Amino acid sequence: MQTDDEIRASDSRGTAAEDVLDPALRDTEFNPSRRQPEPQPGALRRKAAELTVVVPTYSEHDNVTELVRRLTNVLAGVDWEVVFVDDDSPDGTYKLAKSIGATDPHIRCIRRVGRRGLSGACIEGILSSSAPVVAVMDADLQHDESLLPQMLQEIRQGADLVIASRYTAGGSVEQGFSGIRRWGSEMATRMAQTLMGTQVSDPMSGFFMIRREAIEDHAKALAGEGYKLLMDILWTAGKSLKIVELSYRFRERRSGESKLDALVTVDYLGLMFSKLFGGVLPVRFLMFGAVGVSGIAVHLLVLSFAHSTLHLNFAWSQFSAVMVAMTWNFVINNQLTYRDARLTGWPFVGGLLMFYLACSIGSVGNVGVASWIYSFHATAWLAGLAGAIIGSVFNYAISSALIWKRK
Ligand SMILES: Nc1nc2c(ncn2[C@@H]2O[C@H](COP(=O)(O)OP(=O)(O)O)[C@@H](O)[C@H]2O)c(=O)[nH]1
Ligand SMILES: [Mg+2]
């Protein structure tokens, strides 16, 4: 395995920072005591990259050096750069990436604070690029980097989007993917193919290359939430893109743990619904609403059990049902809707109490709005629905802004 120094030495263009700077600018960085000469236009002679590889990272410290080594080897002869987009990983992934980038201009790193999210990180990396072509791949070496030159070749020959597929002939999945995740992925793939009417074999792939302009043109229409950026792109711009798929073997993660679990499938369903509604409603709000609907079922079950089986009076039965349903909603939202800001320990207890309070205030608003609408439009279900929507929007706003806010 190469050391960091060897990686820099084997750089295809020999572009250690000092080699590419005008001699007048050499050694002037980071030395405030020395007089800074005026930079001349064109003084930096580094050629712009043709390809930016965007790598989202969360706690991938032990994979970064090896990934850089492999990219350096495989992309020799290409003007390339890699952008790590790190969500302030506790293991200091961004520090390592930036320290490599301090001497190797192929390496950039965006450190995002107070934010989480795979798709959003990838979009940010892509939009930070000036290269005509961008690729997205994971840091954990599950994606086969040796496919990159071939993907680039396809783009040079006219493709807009090249997808590295696990499911075309020749593609496969090594261990590294739990049975339930595999089932979820296959089910979601089939559903996406049906709903989008696409022939793409692996619309859930996290490994693809695209002409940057194709993203820039549609950046505002992307949902940017969740974990499936390719799905988002296909929904938003799929029809206008010339797509090529290449097969590869999805390897086992090299080091560290997966950040995703079987619940991402639910997240993905949220993305699909959001897209079906033309992207008007945020994915998170739809998930919050779906959890709320499940809470109604829980409420009715508890109510009937308390009233019919335990023979509590109606007021106590209803009170028990309300408390159990609110707790249910809180726990499921904590696991699912706000997984990226999940609360544990005392913050969980504090969040639960605040959730009870928010729901109580929300229900006052709910009844108020429903009664007001009923007063001039006496259709009970319409007034009730309007009240429920107002209550949910209020609960969602408080939940997002105060309970599961990211520090
Ligand atoms: N920036 C950022 N990267 C993330 C986040 N979650 C996962 N990743 C990265 O996305 C890639 C795929 O995640 P991984 O856990 O390997 O997912 P899996 O392969 O589907 O199990 C890895 O490089 C992760 O470090 C996140 O919230 N923010
Ligand atoms: Mg992975």
Side-chain angles (χ1 to χ4, degrees):
M1 193 175 125
Q2 280 175 298
T3 64
D4 291 0
D5 286 337
E6 284 167 341
I7 291 168
R8 279 165 223 137
S10 70
D11 180 325
S12 62
R13 287 172 292 150
T15 46
E18 357 186 295
D19 295 339
V20 292
L21 286 174
D22 186 285
L25 294 177
R26 208 176 278 167
D27 290 337
T28 56
E29 296 248 352
F30 311 120
N31 191 349
S33 63
R34 202 171 293 179
R35 196 174 60 82
Q36 303 277 322
E38 283 295 311
Q40 299 297 311
L44 276 170
R45 288 203 300 269
R46 188 186 161 207
K47 206 170 154 202
E50 179 188 10
L51 170 68
T52 300
V53 182
V54 174
V55 181
T57 55
Y58 192 76
S59 290
E60 301 286 1
H61 182 280
D62 295 344
N63 291 318
V64 166
T65 308
E66 175 62 10
L67 178 63
V68 169
R69 189 187 74 77
R70 292 190 191 189
L71 290 176
T72 306
N73 282 340
V74 89
L75 292 173
V78 175
D79 285 316
W80 67 282
E81 64 173 1
V82 57
V83 180
F84 291 97
V85 188
D86 186 68
D87 285 353
D88 207 19
S89 297
D91 73 352
T93 303
Y94 62 88
K95 288 185 193 151
L96 175 60
K98 288 188 183 208
S99 77
I100 303 176
T103 53
D104 184 344
H106 286 119
I107 319 302
R108 287 202 288 127
C109 174
I110 299 173
R111 175 190 174 195
R112 307 197 310 166
V113 290
R115 290 150 75 192
R116 276 296 299 276
L118 191 45
S119 287
C122 295
I123 292 172
E124 210 150 316
I126 291 170
L127 296 184
S128 81
S129 163
S130 304
V133 186
V134 289
V136 173
M137 72 186 292
D138 292 354
D140 55 7
L141 305 162
Q142 291 195 277
H143 296 153
D144 184 355
E145 67 289 336
S146 68
L147 202 62
L148 286 168
Q150 202 185 334
M151 293 165 89
L152 183 60
Q153 203 48 39
E154 293 287 352
I155 299 262
R156 285 173 178 160
Q157 286 169 1
D160 295 311
L161 170 64
V162 183
I163 301 170
S165 167
R166 297 161 288 186
Y167 304 132
T168 42
S172 61
V173 177
E174 262 180 30
Q175 301 309 310
F177 215 39
S178 68
I180 180 114
R181 285 261 328 255
R182 186 186 299 232
W183 178 82
S185 176
E186 281 170 12
M187 191 200 73
T189 299
R190 273 199 288 276
M191 207 155 149
Q193 286 167 335
T194 312
L195 284 173
M196 286 195 291
T198 177
Q199 297 303 313
V200 169
S201 71
D202 196 358
M204 319 277 286
S205 176
F207 185 20
F208 57 91
M209 193 179 282
I210 189 165
R211 282 191 313 99
R212 183 173 54 81
E213 282 299 308
I215 297 265
E216 298 271 0
D217 291 348
H218 295 97
K220 288 184 188 161
L222 293 172
E225 293 179 88
Y227 301 83
K228 297 294 169 195
L229 177 58
L230 179 60
M231 276 286 317
D232 201 353
I233 293 172
L234 289 170
W235 269 98
T236 310
K239 297 259 182 305
S240 62
L241 301 176
K242 181 171 177 235
I243 302 172
V244 171
E245 285 194 276
L246 299 176
S247 63
Y248 82 107
R249 200 156 53 96
F250 186 68
R251 298 182 294 223
E252 273 190 77
R253 171 178 265 279
R254 178 171 171 274
S255 174
E257 288 172 1
S258 169
K259 316 298 172 307
L260 313 183
D261 53 32
L263 296 177
V264 292
T265 306
V266 182
D267 205 274
Y268 153 83
L269 290 177
L271 174 63
M272 222 148 49
F273 273 106
S274 174
K275 288 290 180 188
L276 280 175
F277 286 115
V280 180
L281 298 170
V283 177
R284 227 193 261 275
F285 178 68
L286 286 172
M287 289 172 71
F288 192 86
V291 174
V293 170
S294 76
I296 296 174
V298 170
H299 181 110
L300 294 177
L301 276 176
V302 175
L303 177 65
S304 100
F305 178 74
H307 197 50
S308 312
T309 312
L310 299 181
H311 304 296
L312 297 183
N313 68 28
F314 182 78
W316 276 112
S317 303
Q318 175 71 350
F319 177 73
S320 317
V322 167
M323 293 310 290
V324 173
M326 280 194 299
T327 311
W328 163 271
N329 282 7
F330 180 81
V331 171
I332 304 295
N333 277 319
N334 194 46
Q335 286 301 114
L336 211 64
T337 318
Y338 297 98
R339 53 189 299 138
D340 52 353
R342 201 173 278 164
L343 301 172
T344 52
W346 283 112
F348 177 92
V349 178
L352 179 59
L353 294 178
M354 204 188 296
F355 191 71
Y356 288 154
L357 185 66
C359 291
S360 310
I361 300 172
S363 63
V364 172
N366 174 341
V367 174
V369 168
S371 310
W372 175 65
I373 291 181
Y374 192 76
S375 68
F376 60 81
H377 196 302
T379 312
W381 71 264
L382 190 69
L385 184 65
I389 290 173
I390 293 295
S392 310
V393 170
F394 176 83
N395 289 351
Y396 173 70
I398 297 291
S399 297
S400 297
L402 297 180
I403 301 176
W404 283 284
K405 64 180 185 300
R406 287 197 57 80
K407 290 188 207 70

